[in-house]
Each structure stands twice: as C-alpha cells, then as structure tokens.
Amino acid sequence: MSCLGGAARAETAEGVSPAPRTVAVIAAIGDRITIVRQREQTGTHLAPYTRKEVRLDPVVLNRLVLEGIDEGFKQSEPQTRRVLLDWLPPDQAMAYVDEKRYVQREERLESLLIEHLRAAPERSQWDEIVAVLPKWHMSSVKGMGERLAGIGIYIQPLARERYTGLESSGNGDLNLQAEGQADGDYQTIDPKTGEKGSSSMFVAVFMYFQTVTLDARTLTVKKREVRRDSVRYHDPNSTAINIGRMFDSGFLSQALSNVVQRSSERAVTGDVTVSPARKLEAPAAPTKP
C-alpha cells in the first residue's frame, strides 16, 4: 500500500472544526482493462462474446480512481481529511485471486485487502476506509453485454431489434413482435457533436465497481454500494465498416479515463451527467498539507 506522494491530502473549510473526520480511500481496481466484443451466434454453445484482457500500469488506473473519489469529497464533504492510497496484491497473491472468477474472485480480492489493512498501524489515525474494488455483473444492463466487471470497452457491432410484445402466427403459436428500432437502452453519444442518438451498434466504455466503507479501527463493513456506469458512442457519419474501428485508441483511452474519474466521483456525490470524452491531464500527486 502506498500513499500517493507520500502524504495525506487535507481539505478544510472556514468555520469547520479543526479536527475534521479522516477518511482513507484505497483504490484496488486492478491492473487490467477488459475488451469484450459481441459476436454473431451460429447455433453453437459458444458464448456470444469474445474477451481479451489488456494489462496496464495499476498505478495509473488507481490514481484515476483516487482523483475521482477525492473530487467527490471536495464537492460533498470538503471538511474531511482524505488519505489517498493505492494497492495491488503481490504477484503470488494475485495469482491466488485469478484462480477464481466472478463472485469468488471478488471475495478473494476483498479478503486479501482486509488482511492488508489489518496490518496497517496507521488505521488508528483514520475514522473510515473507503475501498474501491471491481464488481462483476452477470446479466446485461441497458444494452450492454453480459458478465462485465471493472474497467473496459464493450463493442456491439450487431444491430438489435426491439420487441414490443407477442403476436399470433395464425397457427396457434405466439411470436415476438419486432418494431425494428432500438429503444432507450441504446442511447448513444456522437463524440464529434456531443448529441444524443439511439443506435444498437456502438462502442462503449464502462466501469463496474463497488465501494466498501469500513470502520477504520474494527474493519467492519458499514456500507457497500455497487455502481455500473457506461457511455456508449456511435458516430452516425462514420464510414468504418468495422464498428470496432470507428474510434482510434487515443479516443478510447481518453474516454476510459473520463468514465473512471466521473464514475468514481459519482460514488461520493451521487449521479451526475457523464460528458463526452475529453482530453484529461495526467492527475497530479497529492501535496503535503
């Protein structure tokens, strides 16, 4: 565990007690993003998605999370004193986590984090600990793919129809009645204009995670909240045949940074509007109070 910049960041406001509540924020979002792509089903038992993991510098990902959480506290509880920490299990421990998938993987990661925090003597100086961890979600949410977790990119190149109900086929069978247009679950953003549209073919950036609030001294769980945030992009004027190549790596990198910081901020402040992708400056390390 490291405290970014080697020190805590303290924020105070006029008229507030000189002994503000101290919250340690620890980011354990991991060292990878997942790229998931929908594929056409051909009557086989294969999953309708391909998945690829890309390893990144965990300090970069964790710092984006910490900047977002810290900004959320600035807006909602500026009187708190925040200690910003990042953590990634050692290789051997991470291999133990990676042996499992889904909920079991989450449980192992959280268990290792609790053990790590239990050995931290500085806990006696904190009031609460807010831990940020990846969170699996097995089913589709608002047009997104299934079995998504953490930070990633989801590519949906196949058009989907919206089904409005059942109709009789005339021979006693009931068939789904298709309207042929995407519904509100497929709301997209044109990255060039910022205008909202509706397309079931899109490239999305997502962050599925949970914040676990612990009592700093006993490490008992006081609160657990799950967030599933995503922004779906579609350029209606793009000439790209492959929807996955509609946006370049530079744009997607900026979009990922944006959704990570904004989602982390919303974990503290509540829902706010996620803007289109924009260029973000590298987050600065905290300064000594």
Side-chain angles (χ1 to χ4, degrees):
M1 179 169 61
S2 62
C3 182
L4 301 187
R9 175 181 294 180
E11 300 287 345
T12 60
E14 292 183 4
V16 177
S17 169
R21 188 169 66 100
T22 300
V23 178
V25 182
I26 183 163
I29 202 64
D31 62 347
R32 67 199 72 179
I33 65 169
T34 305
I35 301 174
V36 181
R37 183 185 178 94
Q38 181 197 41
R39 65 181 176 189
E40 190 171 2
Q41 288 185 287
T42 57
T44 68
H45 295 293
L46 295 176
Y49 306 100
T50 60
R51 300 174 189 272
K52 177 183 178 182
E53 288 188 344
V54 177
R55 295 294 179 99
L56 298 176
D57 183 349
V59 173
V60 173
L61 294 178
N62 282 333
R63 188 164 293 183
L64 287 169
V65 171
L66 293 172
E67 288 290 312
I69 295 285
D70 191 51
E71 181 61 31
F73 272 109
K74 280 184 181 180
Q75 295 179 31
S76 61
E77 299 181 52
Q79 72 278 9
T80 59
R81 182 174 183 267
R82 279 94 65 194
V83 180
L84 306 182
L85 310 165
D86 69 329
W87 174 75
L88 183 72
D91 290 344
Q92 185 175 358
M94 200 66 218
Y96 167 75
V97 171
D98 287 338
E99 287 177 355
K100 298 295 183 180
R101 300 182 68 187
Y102 313 136
V103 175
Q104 288 181 313
R105 187 181 189 280
E106 292 174 7
E107 290 173 347
R108 286 192 173 188
L109 184 60
E110 186 173 330
S111 177
L112 286 172
L113 176 59
I114 295 297
E115 289 180 18
H116 178 72
L117 290 171
R118 200 177 302 280
E122 56 267 40
R123 283 192 296 118
S124 61
Q125 304 171 30
W126 308 334
D127 296 297
E128 285 185 346
I129 301 171
V130 176
V132 182
L133 300 160
K135 179 64 181 176
W136 277 98
H137 193 72
M138 303 301 285
S139 59
S140 174
V141 178
K142 292 188 177 296
M144 296 288 287
E146 301 171 357
R147 299 182 181 180
L148 302 181
I151 301 168
I153 298 169
Y154 172 65
I155 302 167
Q156 185 162 289
L158 306 177
R160 291 185 179 180
E161 293 181 323
R162 185 180 71 158
Y163 297 101
T164 59
L166 295 173
E167 62 178 0
S168 173
S169 64
N171 60 4
D173 295 330
L174 291 176
N175 298 326
L176 286 172
Q177 181 180 4
E179 207 174 70
Q181 293 184 352
D183 61 16
D185 279 353
Y186 300 115
Q187 187 178 87
T188 55
I189 294 177
D190 182 339
K192 294 179 180 177
T193 65
E195 294 181 358
K196 294 180 179 179
S198 183
S199 174
S200 61
M201 296 187 295
F202 55 81
V203 177
V205 293
F206 66 86
M207 183 175 177
Y208 287 19
F209 67 107
Q210 61 177 324
T211 56
V212 183
T213 302
L214 306 164
D215 180 273
R217 292 168 180 80
T218 65
L219 296 182
T220 56
V221 176
K222 300 175 64 175
K223 183 171 61 175
R224 187 185 301 270
E225 295 184 332
V226 175
R227 294 201 62 90
R228 295 182 291 271
D229 293 321
S230 63
V231 185
R232 295 174 292 281
Y233 294 103
H234 175 82
D235 182 352
N237 298 313
S238 173
T239 59
I241 297 175
N242 185 337
I243 191 80
R245 296 179 180 175
M246 184 177 288
F247 308 111
D248 61 28
S249 59
F251 171 84
L252 291 175
S253 177
Q254 292 170 19
L256 278 171
S257 296
N258 191 42
V259 79
V260 170
Q261 286 194 304
R262 292 299 183 89
S263 296
S264 302
E265 180 182 322
R266 285 197 290 183
V268 180
T269 63
D271 287 342
V272 296
T273 301
V274 177
S275 66
R278 58 184 175 82
K279 186 174 181 180
L280 295 171
E281 299 297 330
T287 56
K288 293 184 178 181

